[in-house]
Amino acid sequence: MSWLGDAAVTLPTEPTQQAFGYPSLFLLVLIGALVPVVPTGALVSSAAVVAIHQTLPFAMLMVFATASLAAFCGDMALYWLGRRGVGSKNGSRWLEAIRSRAPEDRLEQAQGKLAEHDVAVLVLSRLVPAGRIPVMLACLLAEWPLRRFARGNLPACLAWAVTYQLIGVLSGALFDRPWEGVAAAIALTVLVSAAPGVWRRIRGPEKA
């Protein structure tokens, strides 16, 4: 019955993965940028694990291009929706949603760093777990135009895609079977995402 176990972990053929995998990755990362309930980092890492087991040329490049483009489009759409709320007397549900995901202390930190380091803060914000939304809100409150935000957000999305793709490559290199590498990549990205919050709880509130 070993063939059943092998069949259960056999990946779809490469043409099938190419036809459905990249559009699915793009859509999920795009949705995750707008509504952060989808673990987009884990998706990119998992896609990288699958890519290193493929013989298709440029599979890793396709994962990088798809993930970074989807993240950029999602961020730009969310920022545009947020700017509409800032410019409206009645606000908007999108702006309120952004506010609700940016704790006051994190927002104050983001505003201070944005004033000091300008666009460079955007690049770091996507690499720090839960750092993207407070910095985006700080940009909205500072009334950054869409073009200025885009200049900082593009390298941020590229750096984010590279980082999580490297996590996938590392996880995939440790195991022969793709599903094992995917499991390791998901576990590692969850650990990376949870570590800052755990550290803040251990450290306790900062003293004034």
Side-chain angles (χ1 to χ4, degrees), residues 152-174:
N153 190 51
L154 178 59
C157 292
L158 295 175
W160 171 82
V162 167
T163 299
Y164 280 96
Q165 199 165 0
L166 288 175
I167 291 175
V169 170
L170 176 62
S171 301
L174 296 175

Side-chain angles (χ1 to χ4, degrees), residues 110-122 124 144 148:
Q111 288 174 317
K113 292 178 180 178
L114 191 67
E116 184 177 355
H117 301 290
D118 201 64
V119 172
V121 176
L122 274 175
L124 295 176
W144 278 25
R148 184 181 182 185

Side-chain angles (χ1 to χ4, degrees), residues 30-151:
L30 179 67
I31 293 173
L34 290 169
V35 184
V37 294
V38 179
T40 52
L43 288 172
V44 176
S45 297
S46 300
V49 172
V50 175
I52 64 175
H53 288 278
Q54 291 182 338
T55 58
L56 289 172
F58 309 119
M60 291 294 292
L61 181 60
M62 283 297 297
V63 171
F64 169 74
T66 301
S68 55
L69 178 61
F72 180 78
C73 291
D75 283 356
M76 295 306 299
L78 185 59
Y79 191 79
W80 179 76
L81 291 168
R83 275 185 56 83
R84 291 186 62 188
V86 170
S88 173
K89 293 182 179 179
N90 299 323
S92 72
R93 66 184 184 90
W94 284 102
L95 180 59
E96 291 306 313
I98 295 173
R99 286 183 182 274
S100 68
R101 300 198 297 267
E104 193 64 31
D105 59 331
R106 300 295 299 276
L107 175 60
E108 291 179 0
Q109 292 177 8
Q111 288 174 317
K113 292 178 180 178
L114 191 67
E116 184 177 355
H117 301 290
D118 201 64
V119 172
V121 176
L122 274 175
V123 179
L124 295 176
S125 71
R126 256 204 168 270
L127 300 179
V128 176
R132 179 176 68 102
I133 294 299
V135 172
M136 181 181 290
L137 180 57
C139 292
L140 287 169
L141 296 179
E143 299 185 352
W144 278 25
L146 196 65
R147 183 176 297 179
R148 184 181 182 185
F149 180 79
R151 285 201 301 267

